[in-house]
Amino acid sequence: MNYGRVTANGIDFSYAEEGTGPLALLLHGFPESGDVTYRHLIPALAAAGYRAVAPNMRGFAPSSLPADGSMLLSDLVDDVNALHQELGGGADAVLVGHDWGAGMAWAAAATTPERWSRLVVSDVPPLRFFAAYSSTFEGIENLNHFWFFQMDMATETVAADDMAWLRRGLQEKWTAPGFDAGEEIDGMRKALGEPARLRAALDLYRTNFGPRQMGTPEWAAEHGRLWGSLPTQPTLYLHGTEDRSVVMDQQTLDAIGAALSESNSASEAAFVEGAGHIVPAERPDRYNELVLRFLTKEV
């Protein structure tokens, strides 16, 4: 795996890459890093004839902190589209997103469809389904970090004891029982170990899901503009059966697949058996199999 840097949308991005061919841009989530989340998919995509590039999002080391401090989803989406341009992506580029990277991927594919030929998303469903889940008792309980991170005390609490709160979350909640999250924890330490980096990561939640904004007409209009529309490209949605953050049943997965298929008949949705919330890392053989089969099938 090779490492490089590129400036896009005013951010100095660090990225891991491998391979040559059409661009496959891989977007990670919280509290992760691109090279760790996609450590199994990057070589698989390279072997299949893609240039697989996994950047660390703005604020996550060693990518630069945004000069204006913004971690708004709209700016993250601008980052994605600028990376497409600066990395030489064409109309045949594919976009892969997980967790926060999923939200970025939904939005980039919907707002600039001409840049992306296919889309693979895991662990955060389209906005209409995510909003419905996050407003239920179960959703509020399982996504309690959204609300905890709003508190001023969260910054100090999360940083304490070598980020023990996040280390425990990665090992005991966000991954399936029995999975060794050691590499995820090491990646988190490198990405968020500095106080400014951790504050930026928490600002993902504070600025996009702030208690005074979330649910207001203005909030709904902005998020609806970004990722309220379903992609028109062929899209594969994957979800772990052991995901304890966004818990999903077969009925909901079928509804997601049906909705995506209405926008493009080649779209699909599938469970990844035995995976928790970090599907690309937890069940890489099955995840890679599903991704590569989808990217290479005729449509």
Side-chain angles (χ1 to χ4, degrees):
M1 197 177 303
N2 302 310
Y3 292 85
R5 306 192 75 92
V6 64
T7 299
N9 196 31
I11 304 293
D12 178 27
F13 286 97
S14 173
Y15 61 85
E17 73 167 335
E18 191 171 330
T20 58
L23 175 67
L25 190 63
L26 317 180
L27 308 175
H28 70 87
F30 172 93
E32 305 156 49
S33 61
D35 59 337
V36 174
T37 296
Y38 294 110
R39 62 189 180 274
H40 305 290
L41 183 61
I42 290 171
L45 285 173
Y50 288 91
R51 180 191 179 193
V53 180
N56 272 15
M57 76 167 78
R58 60 168 56 201
F60 285 55
S63 293
S64 68
L65 290 156
D68 61 1
S70 176
M71 297 298 287
L72 287 170
L73 180 58
S74 57
D75 288 321
L76 300 178
V77 175
D78 288 343
D79 291 347
V80 174
N81 290 320
L83 282 166
H84 176 278
Q85 179 173 331
E86 296 301 326
L87 292 169
D92 56 355
V94 300
L95 190 56
V96 179
H98 154 71
D99 189 73
W100 272 95
M104 294 156 64
W106 290 126
T111 56
T112 56
E114 68 279 1
R115 292 184 183 272
W116 311 104
S117 65
R118 300 193 192 202
L119 183 66
V120 177
V121 181
S122 62
D123 309 301
V124 171
L127 178 60
R128 70 181 73 169
F129 297 97
F130 182 75
Y133 174 76
S134 63
S135 62
T136 64
F137 178 83
E138 181 182 39
I140 292 170
E141 287 288 297
N142 292 333
L143 297 172
N144 55 29
H145 58 289
F146 277 59
W147 327 121
F148 170 56
F149 290 164
Q150 309 298 331
M151 303 179 188
D152 287 342
M153 66 175 285
T155 303
E156 182 176 349
T157 300
V158 173
D161 190 21
D162 186 27
M163 296 187 286
W165 195 96
L166 291 177
R167 288 191 285 113
R168 183 172 179 178
L170 281 168
Q171 188 60 72
E172 299 182 13
K173 179 179 179 180
W174 298 324
T175 56
F179 177 73
D180 181 358
E183 290 192 62
E184 280 64 37
I185 290 170
D186 287 344
M188 175 197 71
R189 285 191 178 105
K190 294 174 182 176
L192 303 180
E194 302 169 19
R197 308 293 188 164
L198 183 58
R199 283 195 300 271
L202 298 182
D203 279 347
L204 285 170
Y205 299 86
R206 291 168 172 169
T207 59
N208 292 290
F209 296 96
R212 293 184 180 276
Q213 293 81 34
M214 190 175 178
T216 64
E218 295 78 13
W219 182 93
E222 174 65 1
H223 283 258
R225 177 185 71 84
L226 290 170
W227 59 302
S229 300
L230 295 177
T232 56
Q233 305 92 327
T235 300
L236 173 64
Y237 181 71
L238 299 173
H239 201 94
T241 58
E242 304 303 315
D243 191 332
R244 291 171 285 175
S245 292
V246 184
V247 177
M248 187 171 294
D249 58 21
Q250 187 66 55
Q251 182 178 3
T252 303
L253 184 75
D254 290 344
I256 292 170
L260 292 172
S261 295
E262 287 181 8
S263 293
N264 190 296
S265 60
S267 295
E268 306 174 22
F271 277 125
V272 178
E273 293 291 333
H277 187 66
I278 311 179
V279 169
E282 293 185 63
R283 291 292 183 269
D285 290 346
R286 180 58 175 158
Y287 174 80
N288 289 357
E289 177 189 358
L290 291 169
V291 171
L292 293 174
R293 180 187 59 78
F294 176 74
L295 292 180
T296 56
K297 78 172 185 178
E298 293 186 7
V299 296

PDB file of all heavy atoms in Angstrom, residues 8 16 40 57 83 123-124 128 131 155 192 195 199 201 222 249 253:
ATOM      1  N   ALA A   8      -7.219  19.459  -1.715  1.00  0.00           N
ATOM      2  CA  ALA A   8      -8.533  19.528  -2.355  1.00  0.00           C
ATOM      3  C   ALA A   8      -9.468  20.322  -1.451  1.00  0.00           C
ATOM      4  O   ALA A   8      -9.522  20.074  -0.239  1.00  0.00           O
ATOM      5  CB  ALA A   8      -9.085  18.128  -2.601  1.00  0.00           C
ATOM      6  N   ALA A  16      -4.221   6.627   1.537  1.00  0.00           N
ATOM      7  CA  ALA A  16      -3.601   5.356   1.184  1.00  0.00           C
ATOM      8  C   ALA A  16      -4.151   4.945  -0.162  1.00  0.00           C
ATOM      9  O   ALA A  16      -5.337   5.148  -0.445  1.00  0.00           O
ATOM     10  CB  ALA A  16      -3.917   4.302   2.232  1.00  0.00           C
ATOM     11  N   HIS A  40      -8.510  -4.197   3.846  1.00  0.00           N
ATOM     12  CA  HIS A  40      -8.752  -5.410   3.068  1.00  0.00           C
ATOM     13  C   HIS A  40      -9.303  -5.097   1.681  1.00  0.00           C
ATOM     14  O   HIS A  40      -8.999  -5.814   0.715  1.00  0.00           O
ATOM     15  CB  HIS A  40      -9.725  -6.320   3.812  1.00  0.00           C
ATOM     16  CG  HIS A  40      -9.304  -6.655   5.207  1.00  0.00           C
ATOM     17  ND1 HIS A  40      -8.234  -7.477   5.485  1.00  0.00           N
ATOM     18  CD2 HIS A  40      -9.805  -6.271   6.413  1.00  0.00           C
ATOM     19  CE1 HIS A  40      -8.093  -7.599   6.792  1.00  0.00           C
ATOM     20  NE2 HIS A  40      -9.023  -6.881   7.382  1.00  0.00           N
ATOM     21  N   MET A  57     -10.483  11.769   6.389  1.00  0.00           N
ATOM     22  CA  MET A  57     -11.302  12.964   6.234  1.00  0.00           C
ATOM     23  C   MET A  57     -10.684  14.161   6.943  1.00  0.00           C
ATOM     24  O   MET A  57      -9.779  14.012   7.780  1.00  0.00           O
ATOM     25  CB  MET A  57     -12.722  12.717   6.745  1.00  0.00           C
ATOM     26  CG  MET A  57     -12.891  12.708   8.242  1.00  0.00           C
ATOM     27  SD  MET A  57     -14.622  12.792   8.766  1.00  0.00           S
ATOM     28  CE  MET A  57     -15.159  11.120   8.492  1.00  0.00           C
ATOM     29  N   LEU A  83     -11.861  15.950  -4.214  1.00  0.00           N
ATOM     30  CA  LEU A  83     -10.926  14.827  -4.309  1.00  0.00           C
ATOM     31  C   LEU A  83     -11.097  14.097  -5.638  1.00  0.00           C
ATOM     32  O   LEU A  83     -10.104  13.689  -6.259  1.00  0.00           O
ATOM     33  CB  LEU A  83     -11.143  13.863  -3.138  1.00  0.00           C
ATOM     34  CG  LEU A  83     -10.556  14.304  -1.803  1.00  0.00           C
ATOM     35  CD1 LEU A  83     -11.119  13.468  -0.664  1.00  0.00           C
ATOM     36  CD2 LEU A  83      -9.031  14.214  -1.817  1.00  0.00           C
ATOM     37  N   ASP A 123     -23.715   0.524   6.516  1.00  0.00           N
ATOM     38  CA  ASP A 123     -23.898   0.816   7.942  1.00  0.00           C
ATOM     39  C   ASP A 123     -24.704   2.062   8.269  1.00  0.00           C
ATOM     40  O   ASP A 123     -25.144   2.207   9.410  1.00  0.00           O
ATOM     41  CB  ASP A 123     -22.548   0.861   8.669  1.00  0.00           C
ATOM     42  CG  ASP A 123     -21.720  -0.375   8.383  1.00  0.00           C
ATOM     43  OD1 ASP A 123     -22.205  -1.477   8.678  1.00  0.00           O
ATOM     44  OD2 ASP A 123     -20.615  -0.249   7.836  1.00  0.00           O
ATOM     45  N   VAL A 124     -24.925   2.972   7.358  1.00  0.00           N
ATOM     46  CA  VAL A 124     -25.848   4.094   7.548  1.00  0.00           C
ATOM     47  C   VAL A 124     -26.748   4.151   6.321  1.00  0.00           C
ATOM     48  O   VAL A 124     -26.279   4.441   5.217  1.00  0.00           O
ATOM     49  CB  VAL A 124     -25.115   5.434   7.741  1.00  0.00           C
ATOM     50  CG1 VAL A 124     -26.106   6.598   7.716  1.00  0.00           C
ATOM     51  CG2 VAL A 124     -24.359   5.438   9.070  1.00  0.00           C
ATOM     52  N   ARG A 128     -34.066   8.865   4.805  1.00  0.00           N
ATOM     53  CA  ARG A 128     -35.437   8.593   5.246  1.00  0.00           C
ATOM     54  C   ARG A 128     -35.493   7.425   6.222  1.00  0.00           C
ATOM     55  O   ARG A 128     -36.283   7.425   7.175  1.00  0.00           O
ATOM     56  CB  ARG A 128     -36.347   8.336   4.046  1.00  0.00           C
ATOM     57  CG  ARG A 128     -36.085   7.031   3.316  1.00  0.00           C
ATOM     58  CD  ARG A 128     -36.995   6.832   2.125  1.00  0.00           C
ATOM     59  NE  ARG A 128     -36.631   7.708   1.018  1.00  0.00           N
ATOM     60  CZ  ARG A 128     -37.130   7.577  -0.211  1.00  0.00           C
ATOM     61  NH1 ARG A 128     -38.016   6.617  -0.468  1.00  0.00           N
ATOM     62  NH2 ARG A 128     -36.751   8.392  -1.171  1.00  0.00           N
ATOM     63  N   ALA A 131     -33.423   8.545   9.580  1.00  0.00           N
ATOM     64  CA  ALA A 131     -34.207   9.459  10.401  1.00  0.00           C
ATOM     65  C   ALA A 131     -35.313   8.721  11.140  1.00  0.00           C
ATOM     66  O   ALA A 131     -35.579   8.992  12.324  1.00  0.00           O
ATOM     67  CB  ALA A 131     -34.795  10.562   9.519  1.00  0.00           C
ATOM     68  N   THR A 155     -15.737  16.273  25.744  1.00  0.00           N
ATOM     69  CA  THR A 155     -14.379  16.440  25.223  1.00  0.00           C
ATOM     70  C   THR A 155     -13.350  15.880  26.195  1.00  0.00           C
ATOM     71  O   THR A 155     -12.454  15.118  25.805  1.00  0.00           O
ATOM     72  CB  THR A 155     -14.090  17.923  24.952  1.00  0.00           C
ATOM     73  OG1 THR A 155     -15.077  18.437  24.049  1.00  0.00           O
ATOM     74  CG2 THR A 155     -12.709  18.108  24.346  1.00  0.00           C
ATOM     75  N   LEU A 192      -6.897  10.597  15.940  1.00  0.00           N
ATOM     76  CA  LEU A 192      -7.578  11.506  16.870  1.00  0.00           C
ATOM     77  C   LEU A 192      -6.815  11.720  18.175  1.00  0.00           C
ATOM     78  O   LEU A 192      -7.369  12.280  19.122  1.00  0.00           O
ATOM     79  CB  LEU A 192      -8.975  10.964  17.196  1.00  0.00           C
ATOM     80  CG  LEU A 192      -9.902  10.720  15.994  1.00  0.00           C
ATOM     81  CD1 LEU A 192     -11.238  10.188  16.457  1.00  0.00           C
ATOM     82  CD2 LEU A 192     -10.082  11.985  15.175  1.00  0.00           C
ATOM     83  N   PRO A 195      -5.516  16.721  20.837  1.00  0.00           N
ATOM     84  CA  PRO A 195      -6.759  17.354  21.295  1.00  0.00           C
ATOM     85  C   PRO A 195      -7.547  18.046  20.183  1.00  0.00           C
ATOM     86  O   PRO A 195      -8.780  17.934  20.129  1.00  0.00           O
ATOM     87  CB  PRO A 195      -6.270  18.361  22.341  1.00  0.00           C
ATOM     88  CG  PRO A 195      -5.015  17.755  22.879  1.00  0.00           C
ATOM     89  CD  PRO A 195      -4.363  17.085  21.696  1.00  0.00           C
ATOM     90  N   ARG A 199     -11.411  17.137  19.043  1.00  0.00           N
ATOM     91  CA  ARG A 199     -12.464  18.171  19.022  1.00  0.00           C
ATOM     92  C   ARG A 199     -13.118  18.239  17.647  1.00  0.00           C
ATOM     93  O   ARG A 199     -14.340  18.370  17.535  1.00  0.00           O
ATOM     94  CB  ARG A 199     -11.893  19.538  19.398  1.00  0.00           C
ATOM     95  CG  ARG A 199     -11.636  19.714  20.886  1.00  0.00           C
ATOM     96  CD  ARG A 199     -11.427  21.171  21.231  1.00  0.00           C
ATOM     97  NE  ARG A 199     -10.289  21.749  20.522  1.00  0.00           N
ATOM     98  CZ  ARG A 199      -9.041  21.728  20.983  1.00  0.00           C
ATOM     99  NH1 ARG A 199      -8.778  21.145  22.151  1.00  0.00           N
ATOM    100  NH2 ARG A 199      -8.065  22.280  20.298  1.00  0.00           N
ATOM    101  N   ALA A 201     -13.406  15.824  15.483  1.00  0.00           N
ATOM    102  CA  ALA A 201     -14.243  14.645  15.303  1.00  0.00           C
ATOM    103  C   ALA A 201     -15.562  14.779  16.052  1.00  0.00           C
ATOM    104  O   ALA A 201     -16.628  14.433  15.523  1.00  0.00           O
ATOM    105  CB  ALA A 201     -13.486  13.402  15.771  1.00  0.00           C
ATOM    106  N   GLU A 222     -31.781  21.333   4.842  1.00  0.00           N
ATOM    107  CA  GLU A 222     -30.368  21.206   4.479  1.00  0.00           C
ATOM    108  C   GLU A 222     -29.966  19.750   4.312  1.00  0.00           C
ATOM    109  O   GLU A 222     -29.321  19.382   3.320  1.00  0.00           O
ATOM    110  CB  GLU A 222     -29.497  21.881   5.539  1.00  0.00           C
ATOM    111  CG  GLU A 222     -27.996  21.699   5.353  1.00  0.00           C
ATOM    112  CD  GLU A 222     -27.432  22.354   4.100  1.00  0.00           C
ATOM    113  OE1 GLU A 222     -28.200  22.994   3.341  1.00  0.00           O
ATOM    114  OE2 GLU A 222     -26.217  22.221   3.866  1.00  0.00           O
ATOM    115  N   ASP A 249     -33.716  -4.962  10.739  1.00  0.00           N
ATOM    116  CA  ASP A 249     -34.340  -6.248  10.479  1.00  0.00           C
ATOM    117  C   ASP A 249     -34.491  -6.461   8.977  1.00  0.00           C
ATOM    118  O   ASP A 249     -34.234  -5.567   8.175  1.00  0.00           O
ATOM    119  CB  ASP A 249     -35.686  -6.370  11.195  1.00  0.00           C
ATOM    120  CG  ASP A 249     -36.674  -5.261  10.808  1.00  0.00           C
ATOM    121  OD1 ASP A 249     -36.506  -4.639   9.737  1.00  0.00           O
ATOM    122  OD2 ASP A 249     -37.610  -5.024  11.589  1.00  0.00           O
ATOM    123  N   LEU A 253     -34.403  -3.831   5.651  1.00  0.00           N
ATOM    124  CA  LEU A 253     -33.429  -4.004   4.575  1.00  0.00           C
ATOM    125  C   LEU A 253     -34.136  -4.182   3.231  1.00  0.00           C
ATOM    126  O   LEU A 253     -33.717  -3.608   2.223  1.00  0.00           O
ATOM    127  CB  LEU A 253     -32.531  -5.207   4.854  1.00  0.00           C
ATOM    128  CG  LEU A 253     -31.418  -5.412   3.815  1.00  0.00           C
ATOM    129  CD1 LEU A 253     -30.309  -4.391   4.000  1.00  0.00           C
ATOM    130  CD2 LEU A 253     -30.854  -6.822   3.892  1.00  0.00           C
TER     131      LEU A 253
END
